[in-house]
């Protein structure tokens, strides 16, 4: 059984260590959200990913409280919508209240605002919250490397993380190398949703290791240094998506899965 300490971490600029397996919460609402997040925390996940847009920050906060875990033992990410540029401080206060916490581990711009100037404005608001200690690290989501470079040039501070759509069919070695050169951590989202789990490439590799295709896909991300945040409302899947450390892919298997890129 995987224990929280088995999960590798990525060290972010603040020195905080982000567990490379987190629990995604998009589409989870109300009682189901609270139950699923609590189940994930009981399973051993110590990283939860939410967003104001998911309308479940309160349920995530309740689950954190239900778990009885110390706040410092769980890595909490939320995101701000680009349309909230200009009122980020208010939005952050609401997120903190809903989550029942005094600080965030990671705060992300959910997707790039329409204009470069709005993007820079919002980024400066995130940096202000970071400087005040309300947020340990700040980052972005759905940004291109060019958009990231613009933020870095204009503010002198680069995002710690970029959370992007990922999976075997979206594999792009150039994108990964670009983030690695800049020392920006990549989080992959919709990793399972983006993947045909019945693909024979995956089922054969899964059978060779006695695991599921979903576990193969998630393990493939980790071996590329990409943090994963699978979502599930089913306890058996919540458990198996976390159980990624009893096997390793061979270099040949890793390369075969890379070859699923379209
Ligand atoms: N930054 C962004 O713009 C952005 C966008 C999308 C997502 N995200 C984040 O990334 C997280 C993950 O992405 P996602 O929720 O879109 O997709 P995902 O985690 O890749 O896939 C979730 C779907 O796969 C199913 N599933 C989960 N485990 C499975 C398994 N072991 N075998 C088969 N099916 C399985 C789930 O169904 P059940 O629940 O029925 O198990 C659900 O339908 C989100 O929850 C959210 O936190 C961020």
């Amino acid at each position: 059984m995987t224990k929280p300490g088995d999960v590798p971490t990525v060290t972010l600029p603040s020195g905080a260590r982000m567990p490379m397996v987190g629990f995604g919460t998009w589409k989870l609402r109300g009682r189901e959200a609270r139950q699923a997040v609590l189940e994930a925390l009981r399973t051993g996940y110590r990283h939860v990913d939410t967003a104001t847009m998911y309308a479940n920050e309160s349920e995530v906060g309740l689950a954190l409280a239900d778990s009885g875990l110390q706040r410092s033992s769980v890595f909490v990410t939320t995101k701000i919508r680009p349309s909230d540029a200009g009122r980020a401080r208010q939005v952050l206060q609401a997120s903190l209240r809903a989550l029942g916490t005094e600080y965030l581990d990671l705060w992300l711009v959910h997707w790039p605002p329409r204009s470069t100037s709005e993007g820079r404005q919002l980024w400066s608001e995130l940096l202000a919250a970071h400087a005040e200690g309300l947020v340990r690290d700040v980052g972005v989501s759905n940004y291109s490397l060019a958009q990231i470079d613009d933020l870095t040039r204009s503010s002198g501070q680069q995002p710690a993380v970029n959370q992007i759509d990922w999976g075997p069919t979206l594999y792009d070695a150039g994108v990964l190398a670009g983030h690695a050169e800049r020392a920006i951590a990549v989080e992959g989202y919709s990793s399972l949703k983006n993947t045909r789990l019945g693909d024979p490439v995956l089922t054969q590799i899964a059978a060779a290791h006695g695991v599921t295709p979903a576990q193969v896909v998630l393990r493939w991300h980790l071996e590329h240094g990409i943090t994963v945040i699978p979502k599930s409302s089913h306890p058996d899947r919540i458990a198996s998506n976390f159980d990624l450390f009893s096997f390793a892919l061979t270099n040949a298997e890793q390369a075969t899965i890379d070859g699923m890129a379209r």
Side-chain angles (χ1 to χ4, degrees):
M1 213 177 78
T2 303
K3 294 184 291 300
D6 298 333
V7 178
T9 58
V10 175
T11 303
L12 299 181
S14 70
R17 286 150 48 120
M18 175 171 75
M20 289 184 71
V21 183
F23 187 65
T25 66
W26 185 33
K27 301 262 171 83
L28 289 169
R29 289 282 183 87
R31 187 198 299 255
E32 188 186 45
R34 183 174 177 174
Q35 275 170 357
V37 174
L38 180 59
E39 181 67 27
L41 294 169
R42 287 189 174 146
T43 300
Y45 292 74
R46 292 293 179 268
H47 170 175
V48 181
D49 182 84
T50 181
T52 53
M53 199 192 85
Y54 302 168
N56 63 16
E57 287 175 318
S58 304
E59 287 76 14
V60 171
L62 289 168
L64 287 167
D66 293 343
S67 74
L69 289 166
Q70 283 195 344
R71 170 65 187 89
S72 58
S73 66
V74 186
F75 187 97
V76 179
T77 301
T78 193
K79 316 185 191 81
I80 180 167
R81 282 177 284 232
S83 54
D84 285 325
R87 53 186 296 272
R89 185 53 189 266
Q90 270 167 273
V91 172
L92 175 60
Q93 293 298 1
S95 288
L96 293 173
R97 249 193 326 274
L99 288 162
T101 178
E102 290 178 355
Y103 70 95
L104 296 177
D105 294 282
L106 182 63
W107 198 25
L108 304 178
V109 178
H110 205 149
W111 62 91
R114 268 190 303 249
S115 75
T116 305
S117 62
E118 269 179 292
R120 291 178 182 178
Q121 153 73 26
L122 182 51
W123 184 238
S124 70
E125 293 179 77
L126 266 73
L127 291 175
H130 175 249
E132 280 181 64
L134 296 171
V135 179
R136 292 194 74 182
D137 285 283
V138 284
V140 294
S141 179
N142 299 302
Y143 274 56
S144 67
L145 289 167
Q147 287 168 322
I148 286 176
D149 288 343
D150 179 74
L151 293 188
T152 307
R153 263 195 312 273
S154 62
S155 67
Q157 280 180 270
Q158 74 171 11
V161 166
N162 191 15
Q163 186 180 111
I164 50 180
D165 213 7
W166 207 258
T169 59
L170 297 173
Y171 176 68
D172 183 332
V175 169
L176 282 191
H179 286 84
E181 276 160 25
R182 291 161 178 78
I184 295 173
V186 176
E187 282 187 82
Y189 73 71
S190 301
S191 312
L192 302 175
K193 209 183 271 174
N194 285 331
T195 308
R196 198 164 62 85
L197 295 172
D199 189 301
V201 168
L202 298 173
T203 55
Q204 278 166 26
I205 294 173
H209 292 280
V211 297
T212 66
Q215 287 170 305
V216 168
V217 169
L218 296 170
R219 179 78 205 187
W220 171 84
H221 284 71
L222 298 179
E223 292 186 12
H224 272 302
I226 302 173
T227 296
V228 290
I229 45 173
K231 168 266 173 188
S232 179
S233 51
H234 294 96
D236 55 337
R237 288 173 170 179
I238 291 172
S240 63
N241 293 344
F242 189 66
D243 180 16
L244 305 175
F245 304 99
S246 60
F247 72 105
L249 300 174
T250 65
N251 290 343
E253 289 168 338
Q254 188 78 357
T256 304
I257 301 171
D258 292 354
M260 292 172 74
R262 291 204 188 103

